[in-house]
Amino acid sequence: MPDQEAAALPGRFAHLVTADDFRKPTGYTETLAWWRRDCDGETLLAPDARHPAVRLPTAAGIRFADFVHGANSETATTKAMRDASLALTAGSGFDGMCTPAARRASPAAALLYALGADSATLLPGWFGDFQLTADGVRIALPGAEQALRLDGERCADVLHRIAEWMTGTGDDPGFVAGDLLDAPLRVLHPCGGRRPGRLPFTRWH
């Protein structure tokens, strides 16, 4: 989106903010701390008793999925800002857009599960949602590069974990795991000589 709009947009909707915009699900703080402790070593996916080749979410896995789903709740303020932001991106000609999508499973949860808390906290925003000015993009890019520009065994392990999560929690075995590593960097990388702001977000239907 235009950089000036990215800087001004939050102020346009400040009057809509209520206590609901800051309210998190019950147990959210405890689960955030649990995730930062690498889920206390609990297994999030385990082999299905009937189909051992398939790994399904355990109670810990369901806890993690619910946690990510509740991280960015839909409120009147966030909906208004999101719609206004999307209107600003229309016709921008920016070719770095990307929309990894799947049925039932959350690509955001898959990426966070695969990276782990330490690497995931290098990404900007809050669990997939953020709005950055051009200067904000410049500041955020090194951390995103560190988290997502992977190779060797680390890359293979992260891709495997993404595919594992998407297969175990959804019904899209053909999901392209590599999109979740490439797409955020395509969004964040500079657009030639332009310096637009950026608006990545997650949305459930």
Side-chain angles (χ1 to χ4, degrees), residues 30-64:
E30 292 79 1
T31 301
L32 175 61
W34 168 77
W35 179 54
R36 289 184 179 278
R37 297 193 305 267
D38 196 24
C39 304
D40 291 341
E42 295 182 59
T43 299
L44 273 59
L45 298 173
D48 181 6
R50 294 172 299 176
H51 306 285
V54 176
R55 292 171 60 82
L56 299 177
T58 62
I62 294 171
R63 179 185 183 184
F64 178 74

Side-chain angles (χ1 to χ4, degrees), residues 111-186:
L111 180 61
L112 297 172
Y113 163 74
L115 290 177
D118 287 346
S119 290
T121 53
L122 295 171
L123 301 175
W126 191 247
F127 293 88
D129 285 21
F130 61 84
Q131 180 180 305
L132 295 174
T133 63
D135 284 340
V137 173
R138 177 181 54 79
I139 294 169
L141 189 55
E145 290 270 10
Q146 183 179 340
L148 300 172
R149 188 73 72 191
L150 307 176
D151 56 20
E153 290 185 10
R154 170 62 174 165
C155 182
D157 179 62
V158 167
L159 291 174
H160 172 75
R161 286 167 64 85
I162 290 172
E164 184 179 61
W165 183 271
M166 295 302 292
T167 301
T169 65
D171 54 7
D172 187 7
F175 184 83
V176 181
D179 284 351
L180 290 185
L181 296 183
D182 298 337
L185 293 179
R186 288 203 307 273

Side-chain angles (χ1 to χ4, degrees), residues 68-81:
V68 175
H69 179 51
N72 294 310
S73 58
E74 187 79 10
T75 68
T77 311
T78 59
K79 185 179 187 304
M81 287 189 61

